[in-house]
Amino acid sequence: MIKNLFRNTIVAGALCVTLAIPAFVNASNIQPVAADNEMVVPVADKLKHWSEIYIEQLSKNHDVDFVFKGKGPDSPIELEDFQSLVKLIIDEKYDNAPDSLSREAVVNECARLWAEKTGNDLDHIAVIKMIIYEDTDKISAKYNHGVTVAYMKKIAQGIGSRIFNPKPVVTYGELAALISNTEQAIADESKPADHSIAIGRFETRGTCELKDGKAVFDFELMSHFEKTKEIKFGSGQQFELTITDNNGKEVYKYSDGKFFTMALVLKSIKPGEALKWQDIWDLTDKDGNKLTSGKYKAEIEIMVISEENDEKYDESQLTKVIDFTLGTASN
């Protein structure tokens, strides 16, 4: 039913999934999912729109055809469609509305819905004290707290490169992602807390965006410690990114052909903050072939070193694996 809603649409970008994040995005170029979201969307000249995967998820348990059928994924939403989808997916008694259909207002409303359904008071939820987006100053003060909560709960996490772009009207593709992420965030709240991640650890997060014939990897080392931590790198190389195909054959390695300064590098990370990196792969393998299909695995390693008296960090804190697929979508 949903498969053909957005068929034959040229994909401008897709993000690989959770996480999510897997992140709130401008539908004209990237996918709005959680930062650690590793969902797979194929690459080709003519592909399904990135948002189809969210519509398909919603349609597993709900009849959402009446909202999305005949609507372009990059078209601005109508208020009644937002309200109808919320009633269908999140709260059948919903009789509210966001102040407007701008991204900041709709994301704030999704955060409010999450808080209401999980028994939280949105206005009194403690948030991370850091500037999340480079354009935070463009977010209206009345929505800033809700947007931050939405980021923390992986309802909406930006359009990449720490941009939120708060003023444009939400599109139907973005609506599908936001409602799907909100539903998931509500479900996650009922799960037992993972105390090993909540405090006293590092966490490596990563996303893969397929865009313009390239794979763009954004990743970060997030601190869940209560105090500022100082870490060491043995050289100018602070990460390694290795990509293998479905048979385990290595097709790309970030460090190949590169030279790095041989000097100890020290970095400090404050509580709730992260060190961030990016690498771009042009989809060319080690034999010089341009890859267009197949399943691949990207392994990210943050190359922190420990000297004799240093604190040791286990591998799970310093690595992240992302699965993604290249290939032609069927109509």
Side-chain angles (χ1 to χ4, degrees):
M1 172 178 63
I2 297 302
K3 183 176 181 181
N4 295 318
L5 288 182
F6 300 149
R7 58 189 292 180
N8 298 328
T9 302
I10 303 297
V11 164
L15 193 71
C16 306
V17 166
T18 207
L19 66 200
I21 192 111
F24 185 81
V25 173
N26 181 340
S28 66
N29 40 46
I30 30 186
Q31 173 181 344
V33 298
D36 54 356
N37 201 329
E38 298 167 10
M39 290 179 183
V40 172
V41 179
V43 174
D45 290 333
K46 284 190 175 182
L47 297 179
K48 298 190 296 183
H49 193 273
W50 58 260
S51 61
E52 275 201 39
I53 195 166
Y54 290 98
I55 300 172
E56 289 170 356
Q57 281 184 329
L58 295 174
S59 67
K60 289 178 181 179
N61 298 312
H62 309 280
D63 182 5
V64 298
D65 192 38
F66 74 99
V67 173
F68 296 103
K69 187 174 183 179
K71 312 287 178 55
D74 297 322
S75 300
I77 63 170
E78 299 290 339
L79 176 59
E80 52 267 33
D81 284 333
F82 173 82
Q83 293 172 318
S84 295
L85 203 59
V86 170
K87 288 180 181 179
L88 181 65
I89 307 293
I90 298 173
D91 183 356
E92 63 181 9
K93 297 181 180 179
Y94 181 73
D95 60 356
N96 209 333
D99 296 334
S100 74
L101 296 179
S102 67
R103 291 175 176 169
E104 59 183 2
V106 173
V107 169
N108 181 76
E109 182 66 4
C110 288
R112 192 196 64 77
L113 281 163
W114 169 84
E116 182 180 280
K117 300 302 289 186
T118 57
N120 288 285
D121 183 342
L122 180 62
D123 293 333
H124 292 88
I125 294 175
V127 297
I128 50 181
K129 295 181 179 180
M130 60 181 290
I131 297 176
I132 299 173
Y133 302 113
E134 292 181 0
D135 56 352
T136 292
D137 60 327
K138 297 180 181 179
I139 301 173
S140 299
K142 67 183 296 185
Y143 302 129
N144 200 303
H145 183 79
V147 168
T148 303
V149 171
Y151 175 89
M152 293 170 59
K153 297 304 175 182
K154 300 179 182 178
I155 294 170
Q157 295 194 314
I159 67 173
S161 301
R162 299 181 60 221
I163 299 298
F164 183 72
N165 201 11
K167 305 305 180 183
V169 173
V170 168
T171 66
Y172 279 94
E174 292 170 345
L175 176 62
L178 282 172
I179 296 301
S180 178
N181 289 345
T182 302
E183 181 185 33
Q184 185 61 52
I186 292 169
D188 289 344
E189 190 72 7
S190 64
K191 296 178 181 178
D194 185 348
H195 297 291
S196 66
I197 292 298
I199 189 170
R201 287 176 63 87
F202 284 121
E203 178 189 6
T204 300
R205 300 173 175 178
T207 63
C208 168
E209 177 196 343
L210 303 174
K211 180 181 180 182
D212 299 332
K214 298 177 182 179
V216 180
F217 296 91
D218 287 290
F219 42 96
E220 63 184 19
L221 184 66
M222 182 78 184
S223 174
H224 294 284
F225 290 93
E226 295 180 305
K227 297 181 180 179
T228 298
K229 306 294 290 186
E230 186 174 84
I231 58 175
K232 299 176 182 178
F233 299 94
S235 72
Q237 183 181 7
Q238 298 178 19
F239 68 87
E240 183 66 275
L241 172 63
T242 305
I243 300 175
T244 54
D245 64 17
N246 203 35
N247 297 316
K249 178 182 177 182
E250 189 174 293
V251 297
Y252 173 78
K253 197 178 191 71
Y254 163 75
S255 61
D256 281 355
K258 294 182 175 67
F259 297 92
F260 303 95
T261 56
M262 300 304 295
L264 190 66
V265 178
L266 303 179
K267 296 281 187 179
S268 294
I269 314 180
K270 296 179 181 180
E273 295 190 355
L275 296 179
K276 299 176 183 289
W277 299 270
Q278 183 182 84
D279 188 34
I280 300 175
W281 177 41
D282 65 1
L283 306 185
T284 301
D285 68 12
K286 291 190 171 185
D287 297 321
N289 302 311
K290 188 76 170 183
L291 303 177
T292 59
S293 63
K295 295 182 178 181
Y296 297 88
K297 185 184 299 292
E299 182 172 356
I300 298 161
E301 176 188 2
I302 308 303
M303 302 183 69
V304 173
I305 63 169
S306 298
E307 297 182 359
E308 185 176 351
N309 296 320
D310 291 343
E311 183 175 357
K312 304 297 190 296
Y313 306 110
D314 63 71
E315 181 180 343
S316 66
Q317 298 181 55
L318 303 174
T319 58
K320 176 71 176 179
V321 175
I322 300 173
D323 294 308
F324 62 102
T325 296
L326 309 178
T328 304
S330 59
N331 291 329

